[in-house]
Amino acid sequence: MTLSLKWAAAAIAAACITASLPFAVGHADDAASAAPIFGVKIPAGYRDWKLIAVGEETGLDELRGVVGNATAVKAYQDNKTPFPDGTTLVKLAWKRKPVDGLNGAFVTGPATTVQVMVKDSVKYAATGGWGFGRFIDGKPVDAAQHETCFACHEAHAKDFDFVFTHYAH
Amino acid sequence: MTLSLKWAAAAIAAACITASLPFAVGHADDAASAAPIFGVKIPAGYRDWKLIAVGEETGLDELRGVVGNATAVKAYQDNKTPFPDGTTLVKLAWKRKPVDGLNGAFVTGPATTVQVMVKDSVKYAATGGWGFGRFIDGKPVDAAQHETCFACHEAHAKDFDFVFTHYAH
């Protein structure tokens, strides 16, 4: 076997391992994936967190699901704000996709963004105690977009510790 | 204290206990809550199950979230149908509620229905291996409504073991 064939075999093996993983990869928890300004990363294992609520953005034709870590879920269950340090919320967004043959029914299509809020009342004191991260394909968007996060949360969700999402009972 | 006052005190105490529970109650797992035809009940603890996907029914102005038990999540992760016996899926539905001051943004309003699918290939052999339950305020709807479940799943979701919901990656 020549060297190039060996490399090809290794590449195919690696591809097969990747293909056998149950979920999309590419959200590596490394320095490169930290959001500008806040340094927030996509938390490991978030896709298996508990559901807080769902939502929709008609302007973007998107459906959303918000999940939270154990600290977040407990705070919601105790109905207690401000949320404690360590609270992490992740909003998953997908394009809205019609169900064939069922008029008016929609399901989730391709994923669009993953948005993260992390509570650290000291580190993020200037932004209500929250750090923000917005990611597309596992990569953070630019600083300009991250500069808009807190102003909007402050304008519309100040009464609930700057969090839009309430628990969907 | 008269007897009626004692009863009133007991009722108030009971009401306070109920009010202090973090989540909506009324989904008692007893015989009265079994769905007609299938005998399916609302499974205990489903609200803490993992998120499979979200959806929308525009005709009903509803947002939905589908969660699954551990058997369901594993089957989705392994990308393997038919789903194994013991798979349970719960679809939570809420009225769609606009977010004040954010045009086009919607969140979950009041809960409407809870719908359950349970896989038992022997017990439910006549309906693709699935038992169905549809509940409003924790109470099953009538037999006539339950008679419509399988026909629709068969017509539109036969290729995915009669399940509409695919995993939202």
Side-chain angles (χ1 to χ4, degrees):
Chain A
M1 193 185 272
T2 67
L3 187 63
S4 61
L5 272 174
K6 275 186 190 164
W7 273 105
I12 289 165
C16 291
I17 289 165
T18 304
S20 73
L21 290 172
F23 299 116
V25 291
H27 300 326
D29 188 25
D30 56 25
S33 65
I37 303 175
F38 302 103
V40 166
K41 298 178 182 181
I42 295 178
Y46 75 93
R47 186 60 187 81
D48 284 331
W49 289 358
K50 291 177 182 172
L51 174 68
I52 305 297
V54 304
E56 183 181 12
E57 284 281 348
T58 58
L60 298 168
D61 199 26
E62 285 183 358
L63 293 174
R64 274 99 181 276
V66 176
V67 296
N69 68 355
T71 307
V73 171
K74 187 174 182 336
Y76 275 110
Q77 289 183 346
D78 294 346
N79 201 21
K80 207 171 179 179
T81 55
F83 288 89
D85 283 4
T87 295
T88 307
L89 297 169
V90 179
K91 180 177 278 180
L92 302 89
W94 303 272
K95 279 292 173 191
R96 208 176 65 137
K97 184 178 137 189
V99 178
D100 273 353
L102 274 186
N103 201 21
F106 294 86
V107 292
T108 45
T112 55
T113 57
V114 169
Q115 295 177 87
V116 182
M117 285 179 76
V118 176
K119 187 74 180 275
D120 185 327
S121 54
V122 175
K123 186 173 180 183
Y124 303 122
T127 49
W130 291 99
F132 299 86
R134 186 168 191 268
F135 302 84
I136 296 176
D137 290 333
K139 305 265 183 285
V141 299
D142 63 17
Q145 284 193 51
H146 282 87
E147 275 161 12
T148 68
C149 299
F150 180 63
C152 187
H153 281 255
E154 188 179 30
H156 299 287
K158 198 172 182 176
D159 290 347
F160 195 59
D161 194 26
F162 310 104
V163 174
F164 279 103
T165 303
H166 290 250
Y167 195 89
H169 288 277
Chain B
M1 192 185 274
T2 68
L3 187 65
S4 62
L5 271 175
K6 275 185 191 165
W7 274 104
I12 289 165
C16 290
I17 289 165
T18 305
S20 73
L21 290 172
F23 299 115
V25 291
H27 301 325
D29 188 23
D30 56 26
S33 65
I37 303 174
F38 302 103
V40 166
K41 298 178 183 181
I42 296 178
Y46 74 93
R47 187 59 188 80
D48 283 331
W49 288 358
K50 291 175 182 173
L51 175 67
I52 305 298
V54 303
E56 184 181 13
E57 285 280 349
T58 58
L60 298 168
D61 199 26
E62 286 184 358
L63 294 173
R64 273 100 181 275
V66 176
V67 297
N69 67 355
T71 306
V73 171
K74 186 175 183 335
Y76 275 109
Q77 289 182 346
D78 293 345
N79 202 20
K80 207 172 181 179
T81 56
F83 289 88
D85 284 4
T87 296
T88 307
L89 298 169
V90 179
K91 180 179 277 180
L92 302 90
W94 303 272
K95 280 292 173 191
R96 207 176 66 137
K97 183 178 139 190
V99 178
D100 273 352
L102 274 187
N103 203 21
F106 293 86
V107 292
T108 45
T112 56
T113 57
V114 169
Q115 296 177 87
V116 183
M117 285 179 75
V118 176
K119 187 73 180 275
D120 184 327
S121 55
V122 175
K123 186 174 180 183
Y124 303 121
T127 49
W130 291 99
F132 299 86
R134 187 168 190 268
F135 302 84
I136 295 176
D137 291 333
K139 303 266 183 285
V141 299
D142 62 17
Q145 284 194 51
H146 282 87
E147 274 160 13
T148 67
C149 300
F150 181 62
C152 186
H153 282 256
E154 188 179 31
H156 299 288
K158 199 172 181 174
D159 290 347
F160 195 59
D161 193 25
F162 309 104
V163 174
F164 280 103
T165 303
H166 289 250
Y167 195 90
H169 288 277

